[in-house]
PDB file of all heavy atoms in Angstrom:
ATOM      1  N   LEU A 256      12.332   1.972 -19.441  1.00 98.00           N
ATOM      2  CA  LEU A 256      13.014   2.409 -18.234  1.00 98.00           C
ATOM      3  C   LEU A 256      12.858   1.447 -17.025  1.00 98.00           C
ATOM      4  O   LEU A 256      13.821   1.170 -16.353  1.00 98.00           O
ATOM      5  CB  LEU A 256      12.534   3.814 -17.855  1.00 98.00           C
ATOM      6  CG  LEU A 256      13.244   4.971 -18.590  1.00 98.00           C
ATOM      7  CD1 LEU A 256      12.652   6.295 -18.123  1.00 98.00           C
ATOM      8  CD2 LEU A 256      14.726   4.903 -18.258  1.00 98.00           C
ATOM      9  N   PRO A 257      11.634   0.909 -16.783  1.00 98.00           N
ATOM     10  CA  PRO A 257      11.573   0.062 -15.544  1.00 98.00           C
ATOM     11  C   PRO A 257      12.549  -1.081 -15.660  1.00 98.00           C
ATOM     12  O   PRO A 257      13.208  -1.471 -14.732  1.00 98.00           O
ATOM     13  CB  PRO A 257      10.100  -0.452 -15.606  1.00 98.00           C
ATOM     14  CG  PRO A 257       9.355   0.546 -16.475  1.00 98.00           C
ATOM     15  CD  PRO A 257      10.341   1.181 -17.380  1.00 98.00           C
ATOM     16  N   PHE A 258      12.621  -1.713 -16.855  1.00 98.00           N
ATOM     17  CA  PHE A 258      13.569  -2.777 -17.072  1.00 98.00           C
ATOM     18  C   PHE A 258      14.968  -2.409 -16.731  1.00 98.00           C
ATOM     19  O   PHE A 258      15.658  -3.055 -15.989  1.00 98.00           O
ATOM     20  CB  PHE A 258      13.484  -3.302 -18.504  1.00 98.00           C
ATOM     21  CG  PHE A 258      14.520  -4.336 -18.802  1.00 98.00           C
ATOM     22  CD1 PHE A 258      14.401  -5.645 -18.368  1.00 98.00           C
ATOM     23  CD2 PHE A 258      15.705  -3.997 -19.470  1.00 98.00           C
ATOM     24  CE1 PHE A 258      15.374  -6.602 -18.617  1.00 98.00           C
ATOM     25  CE2 PHE A 258      16.662  -4.931 -19.772  1.00 98.00           C
ATOM     26  CZ  PHE A 258      16.536  -6.203 -19.321  1.00 98.00           C
ATOM     27  N   LEU A 259      15.394  -1.239 -17.262  1.00 98.00           N
ATOM     28  CA  LEU A 259      16.780  -0.753 -17.040  1.00 98.00           C
ATOM     29  C   LEU A 259      16.974  -0.453 -15.563  1.00 98.00           C
ATOM     30  O   LEU A 259      18.035  -0.814 -15.043  1.00 98.00           O
ATOM     31  CB  LEU A 259      17.036   0.479 -17.860  1.00 98.00           C
ATOM     32  CG  LEU A 259      17.007   0.310 -19.410  1.00 98.00           C
ATOM     33  CD1 LEU A 259      17.236   1.630 -20.088  1.00 98.00           C
ATOM     34  CD2 LEU A 259      18.087  -0.695 -19.798  1.00 98.00           C
ATOM     35  N   TRP A 260      16.004   0.055 -14.913  1.00 98.00           N
ATOM     36  CA  TRP A 260      16.141   0.422 -13.521  1.00 98.00           C
ATOM     37  C   TRP A 260      16.250  -0.820 -12.668  1.00 98.00           C
ATOM     38  O   TRP A 260      17.158  -0.932 -11.875  1.00 98.00           O
ATOM     39  CB  TRP A 260      14.929   1.286 -13.086  1.00 98.00           C
ATOM     40  CG  TRP A 260      14.805   1.504 -11.638  1.00 98.00           C
ATOM     41  CD1 TRP A 260      13.773   1.140 -10.803  1.00 98.00           C
ATOM     42  CD2 TRP A 260      15.751   2.175 -10.717  1.00 98.00           C
ATOM     43  NE1 TRP A 260      14.004   1.484  -9.519  1.00 98.00           N
ATOM     44  CE2 TRP A 260      15.199   2.148  -9.466  1.00 98.00           C
ATOM     45  CE3 TRP A 260      16.975   2.829 -10.998  1.00 98.00           C
ATOM     46  CZ2 TRP A 260      15.872   2.758  -8.338  1.00 98.00           C
ATOM     47  CZ3 TRP A 260      17.652   3.338  -9.872  1.00 98.00           C
ATOM     48  CH2 TRP A 260      17.039   3.313  -8.615  1.00 98.00           C
ATOM     49  N   TRP A 261      15.484  -1.808 -12.896  1.00 97.00           N
ATOM     50  CA  TRP A 261      15.578  -3.002 -12.089  1.00 97.00           C
ATOM     51  C   TRP A 261      16.857  -3.777 -12.398  1.00 97.00           C
ATOM     52  O   TRP A 261      17.498  -4.346 -11.473  1.00 97.00           O
ATOM     53  CB  TRP A 261      14.359  -3.947 -12.296  1.00 97.00           C
ATOM     54  CG  TRP A 261      13.107  -3.307 -11.770  1.00 97.00           C
ATOM     55  CD1 TRP A 261      13.039  -2.590 -10.606  1.00 97.00           C
ATOM     56  CD2 TRP A 261      11.810  -3.295 -12.365  1.00 97.00           C
ATOM     57  NE1 TRP A 261      11.719  -2.127 -10.442  1.00 97.00           N
ATOM     58  CE2 TRP A 261      10.925  -2.597 -11.483  1.00 97.00           C
ATOM     59  CE3 TRP A 261      11.241  -3.851 -13.488  1.00 97.00           C
ATOM     60  CZ2 TRP A 261       9.538  -2.392 -11.697  1.00 97.00           C
ATOM     61  CZ3 TRP A 261       9.903  -3.666 -13.740  1.00 97.00           C
ATOM     62  CH2 TRP A 261       9.080  -2.909 -12.863  1.00 97.00           C
ATOM     63  N   ALA A 262      17.280  -3.748 -13.655  1.00 96.00           N
ATOM     64  CA  ALA A 262      18.548  -4.427 -14.033  1.00 96.00           C
ATOM     65  C   ALA A 262      19.699  -3.707 -13.356  1.00 96.00           C
ATOM     66  O   ALA A 262      20.528  -4.357 -12.766  1.00 96.00           O
ATOM     67  CB  ALA A 262      18.741  -4.369 -15.551  1.00 96.00           C
ATOM     68  N   PHE A 263      19.612  -2.370 -13.256  1.00 96.00           N
ATOM     69  CA  PHE A 263      20.611  -1.639 -12.549  1.00 96.00           C
ATOM     70  C   PHE A 263      20.662  -1.964 -11.100  1.00 96.00           C
ATOM     71  O   PHE A 263      21.701  -2.225 -10.484  1.00 96.00           O
ATOM     72  CB  PHE A 263      20.442  -0.096 -12.724  1.00 96.00           C
ATOM     73  CG  PHE A 263      21.171   0.717 -11.752  1.00 96.00           C
ATOM     74  CD1 PHE A 263      22.533   0.956 -11.931  1.00 96.00           C
ATOM     75  CD2 PHE A 263      20.553   1.220 -10.643  1.00 96.00           C
ATOM     76  CE1 PHE A 263      23.252   1.724 -11.009  1.00 96.00           C
ATOM     77  CE2 PHE A 263      21.244   2.024  -9.717  1.00 96.00           C
ATOM     78  CZ  PHE A 263      22.615   2.222  -9.927  1.00 96.00           C
ATOM     79  N   GLN A 264      19.471  -1.990 -10.503  1.00 96.00           N
ATOM     80  CA  GLN A 264      19.364  -2.308  -9.019  1.00 96.00           C
ATOM     81  C   GLN A 264      19.991  -3.683  -8.747  1.00 96.00           C
ATOM     82  O   GLN A 264      20.712  -3.852  -7.743  1.00 96.00           O
ATOM     83  CB  GLN A 264      17.943  -2.326  -8.586  1.00 96.00           C
ATOM     84  CG  GLN A 264      17.385  -0.907  -8.354  1.00 96.00           C
ATOM     85  CD  GLN A 264      16.075  -0.932  -7.657  1.00 96.00           C
ATOM     86  OE1 GLN A 264      15.133  -1.693  -8.085  1.00 96.00           O
ATOM     87  NE2 GLN A 264      15.917  -0.176  -6.645  1.00 96.00           N
TER      88      GLN A 264
END
Side-chain angles (χ1 to χ4, degrees):
Chain A
L256 276 179
F258 172 78
L259 294 178
W260 170 241
W261 293 321
F263 164 78
Q264 281 192 310

